[in-house]
Amino acid sequence: MKYLIAYYSKTGNNWFLAEQLAHDVSADVVEIVPRVKSFFLLLLTSLLKVSFGIKKIDKNLDDYDGVILCGPIWMGQLIAPLRDFIRKFRANIKTLYFVTCCASGDAERDGKFGYVNVFKKVEQLAGSSFKEAQAFSVSLLIPEGQQAEAEQMMQLKLTEETFTGKIAEYYTQFVQNIS
């Protein structure tokens, strides 16, 4: 399959994930650029489910068998740039996978700020093109037996050095599923 990876990243974690995926599944990559750059406005528009839209991308989605949408989850919400991408290109997406590097771990997956509700929203917006969603929690970067405060969680970064252990196992399984 020929994949396009479309990503939005504020901290760099979802950029890292997108680049890894592009390398491992031989995909093209495009950044989703919102029309506004302010974190506060992006968060507000995500919570209110409105937006200012995204800038034009330089890829024709009709040329791809599948799209891997990659981006963060903020406060348990599908963020505006990702939502806008799905809405804008839904008719052109043959198969959609959604991946996120987020702070929610498996224990919080069904909670108010978890990722399960976001996955359901992606599936609802994408319709029949939706195939699978996968969360890669930065909490998996914390050594077993240790805990991190919210502030520390936000500082965790995916890098070549930290992309090991459980998070790498989940990632490898996801790549095998889509290959």
Side-chain angles (χ1 to χ4, degrees), residues 73-77 104 108-115 117-118:
I73 293 172
W74 296 338
M75 297 178 66
Q77 299 294 314
S104 297
E108 303 90 20
R109 64 181 278 157
D110 295 311
K112 181 178 179 181
F113 300 116
Y115 51 82
N117 287 330
V118 174

Side-chain angles (χ1 to χ4, degrees), residues 44-60:
L44 185 62
T45 59
S46 297
L47 290 170
L48 297 175
K49 297 176 180 42
V50 297
S51 75
F52 294 104
I54 58 175
K55 294 185 179 180
K56 184 177 165 90
I57 63 170
D58 66 350
K59 301 289 184 192
N60 180 353

Side-chain angles (χ1 to χ4, degrees), residues 3-138:
Y3 287 111
L4 173 68
I5 298 173
Y7 78 93
Y8 172 79
S9 185
K10 171 133 177 58
T11 65
N13 285 334
N14 283 285
W15 167 82
F16 179 88
L17 188 57
E19 290 294 324
Q20 283 293 123
L21 282 166
H23 176 266
D24 293 338
V25 299
S26 301
D28 293 334
V29 179
V30 65
E31 180 180 11
I32 299 169
V33 180
R35 293 198 184 278
V36 295
K37 297 260 181 181
S38 163
F39 173 73
F40 175 75
L41 283 176
L42 286 173
L43 181 59
L44 185 62
T45 59
S46 297
L47 290 170
L48 297 175
K49 297 176 180 42
V50 297
S51 75
F52 294 104
I54 58 175
K55 294 185 179 180
K56 184 177 165 90
I57 63 170
D58 66 350
K59 301 289 184 192
N60 180 353
L61 272 67
D62 292 326
D63 295 339
Y64 297 91
D65 301 310
V67 172
I68 302 170
L69 182 61
C70 181
I73 293 172
W74 296 338
M75 297 178 66
Q77 299 294 314
L78 177 62
I79 64 169
L82 303 177
R83 188 179 63 241
D84 292 345
F85 181 88
I86 296 170
R87 285 182 176 157
K88 185 173 185 173
F89 296 109
R90 182 168 71 185
N92 306 91
I93 298 172
K94 296 172 186 96
T95 303
L96 179 74
Y97 295 89
F98 177 69
V99 296
T100 182
C101 180
C102 61
S104 297
D106 287 342
E108 303 90 20
R109 64 181 278 157
D110 295 311
K112 181 178 179 181
F113 300 116
Y115 51 82
V116 169
N117 287 330
V118 174
F119 291 177
K120 289 176 184 175
K121 182 66 177 176
V122 170
E123 183 175 13
Q124 177 187 22
L125 286 171
S128 62
S129 67
F130 178 80
K131 182 73 173 173
E132 183 179 340
Q134 177 67 52
F136 300 97
S137 175
V138 291

